[in-house]
Amino acid sequence: MPKTMTVFTPTYNRGYIIGKLYESLLAQTCDDFCWMVVDDGSIDDTRALVEGFIAEGKLDITYLYQENGGKQRAHNTGVAACETELFFCVDSDDTLVPTAVGGLLALWGRRRPDSSIAGIIAMRGRSETEPLGTWFPEGLEATTMWDLYYKFHHKGDTALVYRTDILRAYPYDVAPGEKFIAETYVYHKIDQRYQLAVLPKVVWICEYLPDGYTAHVRQVTRENPIGYMRLKRDYIDYADAAGMLSVKAQSTALYLVGAYFAGCFWKAYRELPNHVMATLAVPVALLLVKTVYRPR
């Protein structure tokens, strides 16, 4: 019988830790899922390890290899190859709690008929009882990513499951020569048409490692400025539509930070829709370039 969910894992040189995720998948109380690993050009023992997992025959596993192009290109590869209704991206350095798949699919069974629901948003945590940040607002049953953070002021990371057909309509647009654009580039685009059903439980145990994107966020911005500009340009539009002046002002300054590293600062400045806000953002952006975003 076809599975309902694909647990998707993009990975790069994480052979030393990906086995922990595998063990957590074997421990799931619900087996209505398969695991897809897209190896983004690893040069360690990742391929041998995953092939070993496949040989064990304990889990339905698909392994795909691509030349190193970044997490978002790996995500596009995974979505294109996915054959299940739902797509759940889980990082290779993290684990799922034993009831994660079962809890997510139980909620999906109730919310599937609602075509306005794109998927499910749940919580990441240090443990099942300690979220990374705040708990979701009590009584919240559906929300967009944007509203969760900017209207309800949630703090912390989330676990996201999407209908695969919707993700196919919103691929990551990674600039030539770059390897990264933030996940919210896609999530906020989906927000414009859909909501997410809320599961107010920790399903994903998270550990940030020294070789991850989170630990090098400023460097990632400097190395992927076009993607950063695309993200912040969208934020300007979303904040404008929501009447969030402070978010629009902040995003304008950060857009110009990206433009500085992309070598098109003054061109980007001239193209911004609000000339007064753009002018006020110039000194802020240049200060950030020389302080927060300077190479360490």
Side-chain angles (χ1 to χ4, degrees):
M1 180 179 295
K3 303 294 187 180
T4 302
M5 176 188 290
T6 292
V7 175
F8 163 72
T9 301
T11 190
Y12 176 70
N13 288 345
R14 288 285 176 80
Y16 67 96
I17 200 169
I18 196 171
K20 291 177 62 178
L21 172 58
Y22 173 61
E23 292 297 328
S24 80
L25 295 178
L26 292 180
Q28 291 300 302
T29 59
C30 172
D31 65 0
D32 189 11
F33 73 98
C34 55
W35 189 28
M36 179 189 293
V37 178
V38 173
D39 185 342
D40 187 39
S42 294
I43 55 174
D44 65 355
D45 60 346
T46 295
R47 180 193 291 271
L49 283 167
V50 178
E51 288 178 347
F53 300 155
I54 293 171
E56 289 179 8
K58 298 177 180 179
L59 192 63
D60 182 354
I61 303 172
T62 298
Y63 174 82
L64 301 174
Y65 180 91
Q66 66 176 33
E67 295 301 317
N68 182 252
K71 179 179 180 180
Q72 282 65 47
R73 288 194 178 93
H75 189 279
N76 288 346
T77 297
V79 170
C82 183
E83 297 180 352
T84 62
E85 180 183 16
L86 297 177
F87 190 89
F88 182 18
C89 182
V90 180
D91 294 339
S92 54
D93 54 340
D94 297 326
T95 59
L96 296 181
V97 305
T99 57
V101 172
L104 290 163
L105 292 183
L107 176 58
W108 183 245
R110 299 191 297 272
R111 302 307 298 267
R112 176 189 279 120
D114 187 344
S115 62
S116 71
I117 298 296
I120 300 170
I121 188 166
M123 305 188 72
R124 298 192 208 185
R126 295 179 179 86
S127 70
E128 289 188 65
T129 58
E130 184 184 6
L132 280 173
T134 59
W135 291 99
F136 288 162
E138 188 173 350
L140 187 65
E141 296 185 354
T143 184
T144 62
M145 276 283 288
W146 181 273
D147 281 351
L148 182 65
Y149 286 94
Y150 291 104
K151 179 179 177 181
F152 300 112
H153 307 293
H154 175 70
K155 304 296 182 183
D157 287 338
T158 54
L160 294 158
V161 179
Y162 281 98
R163 283 169 33 197
T164 306
D165 60 341
I166 291 178
L167 286 177
R168 286 202 181 98
Y170 296 91
Y172 286 102
D173 183 11
V174 185
E178 297 186 2
K179 295 183 178 180
F180 181 80
I181 186 168
E183 283 90 343
T184 48
Y185 172 80
V186 162
Y187 302 156
H188 290 327
K189 287 185 181 298
I190 295 174
D191 283 348
Q192 307 311 301
R193 293 188 58 190
Y194 302 95
Q195 287 192 309
L196 295 162
V198 174
L199 181 64
K201 296 180 180 179
V202 173
V203 300
W204 175 335
I205 305 302
C206 191
E207 178 182 0
Y208 291 124
L209 298 178
D211 58 348
Y213 281 124
T214 303
H216 302 284
V217 62
R218 310 305 182 202
Q219 178 183 342
V220 168
T221 298
R222 294 194 304 272
E223 293 176 350
N224 302 273
I226 299 298
Y228 195 68
M229 289 177 67
R230 287 174 178 169
L231 177 73
K232 294 305 175 183
R233 186 65 182 81
D234 283 348
Y235 270 51
I236 292 169
D237 292 340
Y238 302 147
D240 190 35
M244 296 179 174
L245 185 62
S246 62
V247 176
K248 183 178 179 180
Q250 179 189 58
S251 299
T252 299
L254 294 176
Y255 172 79
L256 290 175
V257 168
Y260 178 91
F261 291 113
C264 58
F265 187 89
W266 294 112
K267 179 177 183 293
Y269 160 75
R270 289 191 296 270
E271 292 175 349
L272 282 166
N274 188 318
H275 180 71
V276 173
M277 183 172 288
T279 300
L280 293 173
V282 165
V284 177
L286 293 175
L287 179 63
L288 290 171
V289 164
K290 300 301 181 182
T291 55
V292 175
Y293 288 84
R294 69 181 177 86
R296 302 296 182 184

mmCIF file with all atom_site columns, all heavy atoms in Angstrom, residues 67-79:
data_model
loop_
_atom_site.group_PDB
_atom_site.id
_atom_site.type_symbol
_atom_site.label_atom_id
_atom_site.label_alt_id
_atom_site.label_comp_id
_atom_site.label_asym_id
_atom_site.label_entity_id
_atom_site.label_seq_id
_atom_site.pdbx_PDB_ins_code
_atom_site.Cartn_x
_atom_site.Cartn_y
_atom_site.Cartn_z
_atom_site.occupancy
_atom_site.B_iso_or_equiv
_atom_site.pdbx_formal_charge
_atom_site.auth_seq_id
_atom_site.auth_comp_id
_atom_site.auth_asym_id
_atom_site.auth_atom_id
_atom_site.pdbx_PDB_model_num
ATOM 1  N N   . GLU A 1 67 ? 25.331 16.489 -7.348 1.00 0.00 ? 67 GLU A N   1
ATOM 2  C CA  . GLU A 1 67 ? 26.498 17.329 -7.129 1.00 0.00 ? 67 GLU A CA  1
ATOM 3  C C   . GLU A 1 67 ? 26.141 18.437 -6.140 1.00 0.00 ? 67 GLU A C   1
ATOM 4  O O   . GLU A 1 67 ? 25.004 18.904 -6.096 1.00 0.00 ? 67 GLU A O   1
ATOM 5  C CB  . GLU A 1 67 ? 26.982 17.927 -8.452 1.00 0.00 ? 67 GLU A CB  1
ATOM 6  C CG  . GLU A 1 67 ? 27.505 16.902 -9.442 1.00 0.00 ? 67 GLU A CG  1
ATOM 7  C CD  . GLU A 1 67 ? 28.679 16.106 -8.894 1.00 0.00 ? 67 GLU A CD  1
ATOM 8  O OE1 . GLU A 1 67 ? 29.580 16.722 -8.265 1.00 0.00 ? 67 GLU A OE1 1
ATOM 9  O OE2 . GLU A 1 67 ? 28.701 14.874 -9.082 1.00 0.00 ? 67 GLU A OE2 1
ATOM 10 N N   . ASN A 1 68 ? 27.115 18.855 -5.363 1.00 0.00 ? 68 ASN A N   1
ATOM 11 C CA  . ASN A 1 68 ? 26.857 19.833 -4.309 1.00 0.00 ? 68 ASN A CA  1
ATOM 12 C C   . ASN A 1 68 ? 26.273 21.123 -4.876 1.00 0.00 ? 68 ASN A C   1
ATOM 13 O O   . ASN A 1 68 ? 26.883 21.794 -5.701 1.00 0.00 ? 68 ASN A O   1
ATOM 14 C CB  . ASN A 1 68 ? 28.150 20.143 -3.553 1.00 0.00 ? 68 ASN A CB  1
ATOM 15 C CG  . ASN A 1 68 ? 27.931 21.118 -2.417 1.00 0.00 ? 68 ASN A CG  1
ATOM 16 O OD1 . ASN A 1 68 ? 28.337 22.267 -2.487 1.00 0.00 ? 68 ASN A OD1 1
ATOM 17 N ND2 . ASN A 1 68 ? 27.265 20.668 -1.373 1.00 0.00 ? 68 ASN A ND2 1
ATOM 18 N N   . GLY A 1 69 ? 25.041 21.426 -4.433 1.00 0.00 ? 69 GLY A N   1
ATOM 19 C CA  . GLY A 1 69 ? 24.372 22.633 -4.908 1.00 0.00 ? 69 GLY A CA  1
ATOM 20 C C   . GLY A 1 69 ? 23.614 23.353 -3.825 1.00 0.00 ? 69 GLY A C   1
ATOM 21 O O   . GLY A 1 69 ? 22.959 24.354 -4.084 1.00 0.00 ? 69 GLY A O   1
ATOM 22 N N   . GLY A 1 70 ? 23.677 22.839 -2.586 1.00 0.00 ? 70 GLY A N   1
ATOM 23 C CA  . GLY A 1 70 ? 22.998 23.488 -1.473 1.00 0.00 ? 70 GLY A CA  1
ATOM 24 C C   . GLY A 1 70 ? 21.696 22.812 -1.084 1.00 0.00 ? 70 GLY A C   1
ATOM 25 O O   . GLY A 1 70 ? 21.098 22.061 -1.871 1.00 0.00 ? 70 GLY A O   1
ATOM 26 N N   . LYS A 1 71 ? 21.275 23.081 0.137  1.00 0.00 ? 71 LYS A N   1
ATOM 27 C CA  . LYS A 1 71 ? 20.098 22.424 0.707  1.00 0.00 ? 71 LYS A CA  1
ATOM 28 C C   . LYS A 1 71 ? 18.843 22.667 -0.116 1.00 0.00 ? 71 LYS A C   1
ATOM 29 O O   . LYS A 1 71 ? 18.016 21.763 -0.294 1.00 0.00 ? 71 LYS A O   1
ATOM 30 C CB  . LYS A 1 71 ? 19.887 22.920 2.135  1.00 0.00 ? 71 LYS A CB  1
ATOM 31 C CG  . LYS A 1 71 ? 18.670 22.328 2.837  1.00 0.00 ? 71 LYS A CG  1
ATOM 32 C CD  . LYS A 1 71 ? 18.534 22.842 4.261  1.00 0.00 ? 71 LYS A CD  1
ATOM 33 C CE  . LYS A 1 71 ? 17.316 22.254 4.946  1.00 0.00 ? 71 LYS A CE  1
ATOM 34 N NZ  . LYS A 1 71 ? 17.170 22.739 6.343  1.00 0.00 ? 71 LYS A NZ  1
ATOM 35 N N   . GLN A 1 72 ? 18.656 23.891 -0.619 1.00 0.00 ? 72 GLN A N   1
ATOM 36 C CA  . GLN A 1 72 ? 17.408 24.185 -1.317 1.00 0.00 ? 72 GLN A CA  1
ATOM 37 C C   . GLN A 1 72 ? 17.333 23.481 -2.673 1.00 0.00 ? 72 GLN A C   1
ATOM 38 O O   . GLN A 1 72 ? 16.254 23.079 -3.099 1.00 0.00 ? 72 GLN A O   1
ATOM 39 C CB  . GLN A 1 72 ? 17.236 25.699 -1.471 1.00 0.00 ? 72 GLN A CB  1
ATOM 40 C CG  . GLN A 1 72 ? 16.764 26.385 -0.201 1.00 0.00 ? 72 GLN A CG  1
ATOM 41 C CD  . GLN A 1 72 ? 17.775 26.300 0.934  1.00 0.00 ? 72 GLN A CD  1
ATOM 42 O OE1 . GLN A 1 72 ? 18.958 26.559 0.735  1.00 0.00 ? 72 GLN A OE1 1
ATOM 43 N NE2 . GLN A 1 72 ? 17.320 25.965 2.131  1.00 0.00 ? 72 GLN A NE2 1
ATOM 44 N N   . ARG A 1 73 ? 18.451 23.337 -3.359 1.00 0.00 ? 73 ARG A N   1
ATOM 45 C CA  . ARG A 1 73 ? 18.430 22.547 -4.593 1.00 0.00 ? 73 ARG A CA  1
ATOM 46 C C   . ARG A 1 73 ? 18.149 21.084 -4.276 1.00 0.00 ? 73 ARG A C   1
ATOM 47 O O   . ARG A 1 73 ? 17.449 20.396 -5.035 1.00 0.00 ? 73 ARG A O   1
ATOM 48 C CB  . ARG A 1 73 ? 19.741 22.702 -5.355 1.00 0.00 ? 73 ARG A CB  1
ATOM 49 C CG  . ARG A 1 73 ? 19.912 24.079 -6.015 1.00 0.00 ? 73 ARG A CG  1
ATOM 50 C CD  . ARG A 1 73 ? 21.048 24.073 -7.032 1.00 0.00 ? 73 ARG A CD  1
ATOM 51 N NE  . ARG A 1 73 ? 21.167 25.364 -7.691 1.00 0.00 ? 73 ARG A NE  1
ATOM 52 C CZ  . ARG A 1 73 ? 21.964 26.358 -7.300 1.00 0.00 ? 73 ARG A CZ  1
ATOM 53 N NH1 . ARG A 1 73 ? 22.726 26.185 -6.223 1.00 0.00 ? 73 ARG A NH1 1
ATOM 54 N NH2 . ARG A 1 73 ? 21.995 27.502 -7.947 1.00 0.00 ? 73 ARG A NH2 1
ATOM 55 N N   . ALA A 1 74 ? 18.691 20.585 -3.172 1.00 0.00 ? 74 ALA A N   1
ATOM 56 C CA  . ALA A 1 74 ? 18.387 19.219 -2.749 1.00 0.00 ? 74 ALA A CA  1
ATOM 57 C C   . ALA A 1 74 ? 16.897 19.075 -2.439 1.00 0.00 ? 74 ALA A C   1
ATOM 58 O O   . ALA A 1 74 ? 16.274 18.055 -2.758 1.00 0.00 ? 74 ALA A O   1
ATOM 59 C CB  . ALA A 1 74 ? 19.224 18.852 -1.521 1.00 0.00 ? 74 ALA A CB  1
ATOM 60 N N   . HIS A 1 75 ? 16.323 20.104 -1.836 1.00 0.00 ? 75 HIS A N   1
ATOM 61 C CA  . HIS A 1 75 ? 14.886 20.103 -1.537 1.00 0.00 ? 75 HIS A CA  1
ATOM 62 C C   . HIS A 1 75 ? 14.081 20.025 -2.836 1.00 0.00 ? 75 HIS A C   1
ATOM 63 O O   . HIS A 1 75 ? 13.125 19.236 -2.941 1.00 0.00 ? 75 HIS A O   1
ATOM 64 C CB  . HIS A 1 75 ? 14.534 21.371 -0.762 1.00 0.00 ? 75 HIS A CB  1
ATOM 65 C CG  . HIS A 1 75 ? 13.150 21.401 -0.203 1.00 0.00 ? 75 HIS A CG  1
ATOM 66 N ND1 . HIS A 1 75 ? 12.046 21.734 -0.962 1.00 0.00 ? 75 HIS A ND1 1
ATOM 67 C CD2 . HIS A 1 75 ? 12.679 21.153 1.040  1.00 0.00 ? 75 HIS A CD2 1
ATOM 68 C CE1 . HIS A 1 75 ? 10.961 21.690 -0.211 1.00 0.00 ? 75 HIS A CE1 1
ATOM 69 N NE2 . HIS A 1 75 ? 11.315 21.331 1.009  1.00 0.00 ? 75 HIS A NE2 1
ATOM 70 N N   . ASN A 1 76 ? 14.457 20.815 -3.829 1.00 0.00 ? 76 ASN A N   1
ATOM 71 C CA  . ASN A 1 76 ? 13.766 20.755 -5.125 1.00 0.00 ? 76 ASN A CA  1
ATOM 72 C C   . ASN A 1 76 ? 13.855 19.360 -5.732 1.00 0.00 ? 76 ASN A C   1
ATOM 73 O O   . ASN A 1 76 ? 12.876 18.845 -6.299 1.00 0.00 ? 76 ASN A O   1
ATOM 74 C CB  . ASN A 1 76 ? 14.377 21.776 -6.091 1.00 0.00 ? 76 ASN A CB  1
ATOM 75 C CG  . ASN A 1 76 ? 14.032 23.220 -5.739 1.00 0.00 ? 76 ASN A CG  1
ATOM 76 O OD1 . ASN A 1 76 ? 13.140 23.484 -4.941 1.00 0.00 ? 76 ASN A OD1 1
ATOM 77 N ND2 . ASN A 1 76 ? 14.753 24.153 -6.336 1.00 0.00 ? 76 ASN A ND2 1
ATOM 78 N N   . THR A 1 77 ? 15.034 18.739 -5.619 1.00 0.00 ? 77 THR A N   1
ATOM 79 C CA  . THR A 1 77 ? 15.215 17.380 -6.127 1.00 0.00 ? 77 THR A CA  1
ATOM 80 C C   . THR A 1 77 ? 14.287 16.409 -5.412 1.00 0.00 ? 77 THR A C   1
ATOM 81 O O   . THR A 1 77 ? 13.643 15.557 -6.035 1.00 0.00 ? 77 THR A O   1
ATOM 82 C CB  . THR A 1 77 ? 16.682 16.931 -5.937 1.00 0.00 ? 77 THR A CB  1
ATOM 83 O OG1 . THR A 1 77 ? 17.533 17.783 -6.708 1.00 0.00 ? 77 THR A OG1 1
ATOM 84 C CG2 . THR A 1 77 ? 16.869 15.487 -6.379 1.00 0.00 ? 77 THR A CG2 1
ATOM 85 N N   . GLY A 1 78 ? 14.199 16.541 -4.090 1.00 0.00 ? 78 GLY A N   1
ATOM 86 C CA  . GLY A 1 78 ? 13.355 15.648 -3.309 1.00 0.00 ? 78 GLY A CA  1
ATOM 87 C C   . GLY A 1 78 ? 11.889 15.800 -3.632 1.00 0.00 ? 78 GLY A C   1
ATOM 88 O O   . GLY A 1 78 ? 11.166 14.801 -3.777 1.00 0.00 ? 78 GLY A O   1
ATOM 89 N N   . VAL A 1 79 ? 11.426 17.032 -3.750 1.00 0.00 ? 79 VAL A N   1
ATOM 90 C CA  . VAL A 1 79 ? 10.020 17.271 -4.071 1.00 0.00 ? 79 VAL A CA  1
ATOM 91 C C   . VAL A 1 79 ? 9.683  16.692 -5.439 1.00 0.00 ? 79 VAL A C   1
ATOM 92 O O   . VAL A 1 79 ? 8.624  16.065 -5.624 1.00 0.00 ? 79 VAL A O   1
ATOM 93 C CB  . VAL A 1 79 ? 9.699  18.782 -4.015 1.00 0.00 ? 79 VAL A CB  1
ATOM 94 C CG1 . VAL A 1 79 ? 8.317  19.070 -4.582 1.00 0.00 ? 79 VAL A CG1 1
ATOM 95 C CG2 . VAL A 1 79 ? 9.795  19.294 -2.579 1.00 0.00 ? 79 VAL A CG2 1
#
